[in-house]
Amino acid sequence: MGPLVYLSGALVLVLLWIRAKGLDYVLVHQRWIFVCLFLLPLSVLFDVYYYLRAWIIFKMCSAPRLHDQRVRDIQRQVREWRRDGCKTFMCTGRPGWLTVSLRVGKYKKTHKNILINMMDILDVDTQRQVVRVEPLANMGQVTALLNSIGWTLPVLPELDDLTVGGLVMGTGIESSSHIYGLFQHICVAYELVLADGSLVRCSEEENSDLFHAVPWSCGTLGFLVAAEIKIVPAKSWVKLRYEPVQGLENICKRFTEASQNKQNMFVEGLQYSLDSAVIMTGTMTDHAEPDKINRIGLHFKPWFFKHVETYLTGNCTGVEYIPLRHYYHRHTRSIFWELQDIIPFGNNLVFRYLFGWMVPPKISLLKLTQGETIRRLYEQHHVVQDMLVPMKDLQAAITRFHLDIQVYPLWLCPFLLPPGRGMVHPKGEEEELYVDIGAYGEPKVKHFECKASTRQLEKFVRDVHGFQMLYADVYMDREEFWEMFDGRLYHKLREELSCKGAFPEVYDKICKSARH
């Protein structure tokens, strides 16, 4: 009883202190208290509920029957909207705080909310090598099931909470994308409920225009109700090689060489300063050298980006064998490196051993509880951006990032971009190697101003025929936006499918200049 009494007393004192200081003060200046006491336990409960629910539904084989019923319910809601006179645009009824994007979707309050409660894995077809899933199934859920039966997605984006719908309607990338492309390129079919309430399936062979227009459309062509995604056989381990590299020119050269080498199943770079980085290359294997095994997903292990940095500070190469699922979610526990700004001592050995099993807090809960003050502070003093640029412009792009925002580490992830008809494709008719430069954190440049600095980056990206991920804050005007993205097929289908009165244009839905 003794420890419990002390713990209860400490909790009472903390609550009294919060009351004395004021909740806003604590949330802004000592946010870790609120996160550790409330959000971490709530996050564990969320995960337990969703994983148990998904496992039970799949084992009982009830997902397909429930799926058909849920699709009919969505069609009913759309037809009711039409009977009521199509007075406002439609959007999904999922609360904005549940999304991984840090953007606050104000349109949820003004648009007709269509309730879409679809979070199940419907079928795994190992003959066709395809998994069929609902849009709210997330990456943690998908890997837990697929890896347990010996399969995986060729491109499996990093964070557990990323949903299939978000990755289809937006985009997704991983360190295998230099072979397979973006998440959209491993999808073989989509099922959507359109503005007239009809259900359609689209693929390369069936409704091909719609199949190519859906990625990056952000739910403005119809409601995604299912996706069929390629799967490949999985192996138990990833053999990962760490290589520290000095000098910007040398970093870009080595990273390009590693990305062009298809023997590397995984390629990733973490850049810790303008002139220092660690490049990682990996392959899947069924065998591991026992003395080189590193189960990085265990709760007491150092955060992955901190572990990688030891190879830079020690100026040494290394090889490790990492369990496949641990590798896929290597940045999840620290939300890449964002968690260090929320829980400054989160990578401390004592904290990891005692509380690391509850990490990370759900991004959705962080959004829900951040309040207007924190949201404004984040907007003005924090950057979360992914810019996709041609590999040939990598050195110029990193230099631009350094001059405009100076956020480190930078995440470098290569991907193959094939020609196509949708919103995102290379300038020419040949496939091209691109790189995702991810900047997440507090800018260190003295002249940083959120809108102006981001617009400078956006202009550079447009000039090299690159693309900005749309989950982040976008400051382009309409003309600049459609200079970056190819809207020809998108606008054609908006006309043909009567979307103009049913869904906002993608620019109006996501760009800041359209929402203020």
Side-chain angles (χ1 to χ4, degrees):
M1 280 296 289
L4 189 59
V5 171
Y6 287 127
L7 185 61
S8 300
L11 183 58
V12 169
L13 289 174
V14 168
L15 291 173
L16 289 173
W17 179 75
I18 290 173
R19 183 178 179 183
K21 285 288 189 179
L23 186 59
D24 280 349
Y25 175 89
V26 174
L27 288 178
V28 172
H29 298 284
Q30 306 290 341
R31 198 178 184 201
W32 64 268
I33 296 175
F34 184 73
V35 170
C36 292
L37 288 181
F38 300 103
L39 297 194
L40 288 181
L42 277 176
S43 298
V44 172
L45 293 176
F46 258 64
D47 282 336
V48 169
Y49 167 75
Y50 280 114
Y51 284 129
L52 283 176
R53 179 191 176 281
W55 184 83
I56 291 169
I57 286 177
F58 192 79
K59 290 297 181 183
M60 292 176 65
C61 299
S62 59
R65 174 175 51 81
L66 294 173
H67 173 77
D68 293 340
Q69 179 182 321
R70 288 192 287 251
V71 170
R72 287 193 295 271
D73 183 61
I74 293 167
Q75 291 178 290
R76 176 190 58 78
Q77 293 178 72
V78 172
R79 287 165 182 153
E80 284 179 359
W81 168 82
R82 291 177 64 83
R83 283 197 301 271
D84 290 342
C86 313
K87 295 172 185 175
T88 62
F89 290 135
M90 291 183 289
C91 68
T92 63
R94 189 185 188 208
W97 61 269
L98 275 174
T99 64
V100 171
S101 168
L102 295 180
R103 184 171 57 245
V104 178
K106 296 179 180 178
Y107 60 87
K108 297 278 186 182
K109 297 178 181 178
T110 58
H111 294 182
K112 169 66 175 176
N113 281 216
I114 304 297
L115 299 179
I116 299 177
N117 182 28
M118 312 183 80
M119 56 184 70
D120 296 321
I121 299 171
L122 300 172
D123 182 48
V124 180
D125 188 336
T126 56
Q127 294 297 315
R128 291 177 57 218
Q129 295 197 6
V130 164
V131 60
R132 183 168 173 255
V133 297
E134 292 182 324
L136 297 182
N138 64 41
M139 291 300 98
Q141 188 180 337
V142 170
T143 48
L145 176 70
L146 289 181
N147 290 176
S148 70
I149 58 175
W151 294 85
T152 189
L153 300 182
V155 176
L156 205 150
E158 168 63 39
L159 299 177
D160 280 13
D161 289 341
L162 292 170
T163 64
V164 169
L167 296 168
V168 168
M169 291 295 185
T171 193
I173 190 170
E174 239 306 318
S175 54
S176 55
S177 288
H178 65 295
I179 298 174
Y180 296 103
L182 298 170
F183 190 82
Q184 68 202 60
H185 300 124
I186 65 167
C187 295
V188 297
Y190 309 122
E191 297 168 38
L192 296 101
V193 172
L194 301 181
D196 62 358
S198 62
L199 175 66
V200 299
R201 182 181 185 275
C202 58
S203 65
E204 194 69 68
E205 298 78 26
E206 180 183 10
N207 297 310
S208 177
D209 280 353
L210 183 58
F211 177 71
H212 285 276
V214 163
W216 295 77
S217 65
C218 297
T220 60
L221 293 173
F223 295 110
L224 183 71
V225 294
E228 293 177 31
I229 310 167
K230 294 176 187 174
I231 58 175
V232 295
K235 295 185 179 180
S236 302
W237 304 91
V238 171
K239 181 181 180 181
L240 194 64
R241 183 176 186 271
Y242 303 85
E243 178 189 357
V245 186
Q246 303 290 340
L248 180 57
E249 185 175 347
N250 198 30
I251 290 168
C252 296
K253 179 173 178 291
R254 286 292 301 117
F255 187 74
T256 302
E257 291 170 350
S259 304
Q260 291 171 336
N261 183 357
K262 295 301 193 291
Q263 297 301 310
N264 296 324
M265 296 179 70
F266 305 103
V267 177
E268 175 185 30
L270 294 186
Q271 186 151 355
Y272 291 89
S273 71
L274 182 63
D275 296 307
S276 62
V278 177
I279 296 172
M280 287 158 280
T281 54
T283 55
M284 271 198 279
T285 177
D286 280 325
H287 305 285
E289 299 175 47
D291 60 331
K292 294 181 179 178
I293 288 175
N294 185 4
R295 301 180 188 276
I296 59 172
L298 297 176
H299 72 272
F300 53 82
K301 289 285 189 174
W303 289 347
F304 184 68
F305 78 99
K306 286 295 188 183
H307 171 64
V308 173
E309 193 174 16
T310 61
Y311 290 94
L312 189 63
T313 54
N315 194 30
C316 60
T317 60
V319 173
E320 291 182 331
Y321 292 83
I322 299 171
L324 179 62
R325 192 157 185 260
H326 289 211
Y327 175 79
Y328 279 141
H329 300 290
R330 61 200 179 280
H331 293 298
T332 295
R333 280 193 301 127
S334 56
I335 318 178
F336 281 84
W337 30 93
E338 290 275 64
L339 196 57
Q340 66 182 351
D341 292 332
I342 299 170
I343 307 177
F345 48 83
N347 194 48
N348 178 274
L349 180 65
V350 175
F351 181 86
R352 293 200 313 265
Y353 265 93
L354 294 179
F355 305 108
W357 58 276
M358 293 193 289
V359 169
K362 306 292 280 186
I363 295 174
S364 54
L365 293 179
L366 289 171
K367 281 178 63 179
L368 179 64
T369 59
Q370 68 180 354
E372 189 62 26
T373 304
I374 295 177
R375 190 191 67 77
R376 284 199 305 270
L377 283 172
Y378 257 68
E379 189 173 281
Q380 293 303 319
H381 304 287
H382 202 83
V383 167
V384 179
Q385 290 285 349
D386 282 86
M387 300 291 188
L388 315 180
V389 299
M391 184 68 79
K392 64 180 183 290
D393 298 300
L394 176 59
Q395 186 169 340
I398 291 174
T399 303
R400 187 77 261 163
F401 270 73
H402 182 80
L403 293 173
D404 289 341
I405 58 174
Q406 204 172 131
V407 170
Y408 293 102
L410 288 175
W411 189 54
L412 305 180
C413 186
F415 68 98
L416 195 65
L417 189 60
R421 292 174 282 147
M423 285 175 61
V424 171
H425 55 77
K427 198 168 187 178
E429 295 303 315
E430 301 290 328
E431 65 181 23
E432 187 172 351
L433 195 59
Y434 272 62
V435 57
D436 173 8
I437 304 176
Y440 325 118
E442 184 180 347
K444 295 298 189 288
V445 291
K446 293 180 180 178
H447 60 271
F448 178 79
E449 197 281 315
C450 186
K451 181 177 180 180
S453 300
T454 304
R455 280 186 57 78
Q456 284 180 198
L457 276 179
E458 290 171 342
K459 183 180 186 309
F460 171 84
V461 172
R462 286 198 308 276
D463 289 345
V464 298
H465 195 73
F467 308 94
Q468 180 179 16
M469 282 198 187
L470 301 183
Y471 77 90
D473 284 335
V474 178
Y475 290 93
M476 292 179 283
D477 63 33
R478 195 179 304 271
E479 184 179 348
E480 291 166 339
F481 182 85
W482 291 117
E483 179 187 336
M484 178 179 285
F485 297 98
D486 183 351
R488 290 173 294 177
L489 181 61
Y490 172 78
H491 289 301
K492 171 176 172 283
L493 282 169
R494 292 260 302 167
E495 289 279 357
E496 290 178 2
L497 300 176
S498 303
C499 294
K500 288 195 170 181
F503 308 105
E505 184 185 298
V506 61
Y507 175 81
D508 296 310
K509 190 171 182 179
I510 61 98
C511 286
K512 272 193 167 289
S513 56
R515 294 184 286 117
H516 292 287

